[in-house]
Amino acid sequence: MIAQEGETPGVLAQMYVHKMGIWGESEPGWRKSSLRQHKVWRPPTDVYETEGAVVVKVEISGMAREDLTVSLEGRKLTIRGMRRDSAGKLGYQQMEIQYGYFETEVLVPRAIEEEGVEATYQEGFLSVRLPKAPARRVPVIDAEESV
């Protein structure tokens, strides 16, 4: 199933390349760069806690701030963007850097103060700081009083 130079692969061959791309395998001679450019990729993401906040750190070097979107809906943090490949290339010898649209979602593990959320982009990392909400005291009442 290797395409010869200048040959256009048929439908079955294209399905084979798609299947190999899904399972992480590769067939020598195939150029999958056009397939890779159309899928949404997920950048490496760390989520950790400090004493006062939950921090989400995403590795997305080579981005412009205006190409990033950060949204918080309830406890779901969504980071989306587009990394553009501006250099003109004739073909790849090796392709490991992801380009195009990306998205990562994080379910924040605890309640946060939404008004204090901050996002900073520096040296190829986007860091979103989500301040922890203080514990809420729930009053306990006598069952007979509530009737």
Side-chain angles (χ1 to χ4, degrees), residues 26-62:
S26 63
E27 185 73 30
W30 285 101
R31 293 187 181 199
K32 297 191 299 182
S33 63
S34 63
L35 290 173
R36 291 180 69 180
Q37 291 175 352
H38 297 291
K39 68 178 184 179
V40 175
W41 57 279
R42 186 181 184 281
T45 304
D46 288 348
V47 180
Y48 60 91
E49 286 189 49
T50 64
E51 192 169 319
V54 173
V55 179
V56 177
K57 188 173 184 179
V58 183
E59 182 183 14
I60 47 173
S61 62

Side-chain angles (χ1 to χ4, degrees), residues 116-128:
V117 174
E118 296 175 342
T120 56
Y121 181 61
Q122 183 177 7
E123 297 179 2
F125 290 94
L126 175 70
S127 293
V128 181

